[in-house]
Amino acid sequence: MALPLLGELWDELPVEKRIFCSVLLFSWAVYLWEAFLARRQRKVYRTTTHVPWELGQIMDSETFEKSRLYQLDKSTFSFWSGLYSELEGTLILLCGGIPFLWNVSGQISGRAGFEPEYEIAQSLVFLLLATLFSAVTGLPWSLYNTFVIEEKHGFNQQTLGFFFKDAIKKFIVTQCILLPVTSLLLYIIKIGGDYFFIYAWLFTLVVSLVLVTIYADYIAPLFDKFIPLPEGELKQAIEMMAKSIDFPLTKVYVVEGSKRSSHSNAYFYGFFKNKRIVLFDTLLEDYSALNKEHPEGEDGEDDDTKSKVKNKKQGCKNEEVLAVLGHELGHWKLGHTIKNIVISQMNSFLCFFLFAVLIGQKELFAAFGFYETQPTLIGLMIIFQFIFSPYNEVLSFCLTVLSRRFEFQADAFAKELGKAKDLYSALIKLNKDNLGFPVSDWIFSMWHYSHPPLLERLQALKDAKQD
């Protein structure tokens, strides 16, 4: 009796109410699914207190316990921050937060001399206020994550002063990019006619390619210091390996990631014949500031960062660094980067096309409290963030599966370069340095891990290593 009654009540609801309820219900369904997966993984953290026999040769009990406690703290933090985020989003929708902020934005732009017909000006004020609200409400969580969890487990290298300067700088840089790009996108949509979705897609394609090209040269150095890798054996070996696979390497940089965190990373960027490689100093055993004693006040950096010298050396030896780069260059040689760009742009085109189909549906705007006006920016938010959310969840899972496949292929490429043994040891070192927990729930791993679990990668490398 209950289900037919609920069905009748549902059918009696106006279309806009059904849209609103569907969005809210799906959002909570996703949250509960994620909470269920996280609970399964936390159970693994709590119950796996001893090193499994298959890990006995690669991980000592002390490191295993440290990684277990670190991941348990991160998981607990993720639960509470996720719950807050879901409750905040629900309250914003139920209390009409989006139309309220739009009206406030109209009042502010009106006082600045812009009439209601200047929708783009009002949209930019709305975007600025929305991102400011998000930054302020997310600040306590970011502080706790950095200065409690990361600090407790030895990863944080920042002081409060550095943290706030960094946060303010990020906000300003984000606005300097976001506001002009958004204003141009809205203008293109306004004047683009029936085929505006093609022009909007082309515009976002150009912007994304430009940002990828200039990021490491002009944006990233605003936050971290980039220096050329000094001449020596490592640089020569990197250049030789790049030449052997026809990778058009032009520069190799080392970034001082140790100023903010002891986590390590490496990546390459650039298009056509202008490729650069970036290595975090925390990846390099011989260059990591965390392996060296720094006189207090040297270079004026101790005011902003902490000097923490570890008993155990962090980072990889040169041969292991080359193996990691062999894996990364494998992504390029096997076309993974191009494939990801193509998939991303196909998805972007599809979304803009569907946006063009749906933007004229007034019920979508009415569902979120916009009965009189249908602002383009609000339409983008409603359709891309809320209406497309089921599609986005499916796409995200598919890309996660594809990413794991690419990672195995890149490992296999490093094996073909003769780097299996060094990659094997590098993966173990990086897992230890970053306190990765090598045991995971299979559903959690399947849904979330863009990289295969450590044991699976090591097993794939093991045969070649033994050979």
Side-chain angles (χ1 to χ4, degrees), residues 200-221:
W201 167 69
L202 289 173
F203 172 71
T204 57
L205 170 61
V206 171
V207 169
S208 62
L209 293 178
V210 169
L211 288 177
V212 167
T213 302
I214 70 172
Y215 173 77
D217 286 326
Y218 300 102
I219 300 176

Side-chain angles (χ1 to χ4, degrees), residues 219-365:
I219 300 176
L222 296 173
F223 304 95
D224 296 301
K225 185 177 180 181
F226 284 68
I227 58 174
L229 180 67
E231 296 292 338
E233 292 182 6
L234 179 59
K235 185 176 181 181
Q236 291 176 0
I238 291 173
E239 291 173 343
M240 287 178 61
M241 183 170 66
K243 187 176 181 180
S244 70
I245 61 171
D246 299 320
F247 181 78
L249 178 65
T250 56
K251 293 181 182 178
V252 183
Y253 291 112
V254 177
V255 57
E256 291 186 355
S258 56
K259 289 180 64 178
R260 64 180 70 248
S261 171
S262 57
H263 290 296
S264 50
N265 197 7
Y267 61 91
F268 69 86
Y269 70 100
F271 290 102
F272 308 114
K273 300 296 182 181
N274 189 28
K275 307 283 189 187
R276 290 101 183 271
I277 289 175
V278 176
L279 306 170
F280 279 53
D281 62 345
T282 47
L283 177 67
L284 311 175
E285 184 178 276
D286 294 336
Y287 292 91
S288 177
L290 302 177
N291 295 332
K292 303 173 184 178
E293 292 279 0
H294 286 289
E296 190 169 347
E298 183 180 342
D299 296 330
E301 292 180 356
D302 284 313
D303 293 337
D304 288 334
T305 56
K306 304 174 181 181
S307 180
K308 295 181 180 178
V309 181
K310 298 187 176 183
N311 294 327
K312 297 181 180 179
K313 277 196 171 186
Q314 172 163 337
C316 297
K317 296 178 181 178
N318 287 354
E319 297 81 5
E320 294 164 339
V321 173
L322 287 171
V324 172
L325 285 179
H327 167 95
E328 294 299 327
L329 296 182
H331 286 304
W332 169 79
K333 189 68 173 180
L334 298 171
H336 297 164
T337 307
I338 296 297
K339 290 173 185 175
N340 281 329
I341 291 174
V342 170
I343 291 171
S344 173
Q345 293 308 316
M346 287 174 62
N347 173 64
S348 178
F349 181 83
L350 175 62
C351 288
F352 274 116
F353 172 74
L354 294 176
F355 171 76
V357 173
L358 296 172
I359 190 64
Q361 304 298 317
K362 294 184 178 180
E363 293 85 357
L364 291 177
F365 291 91

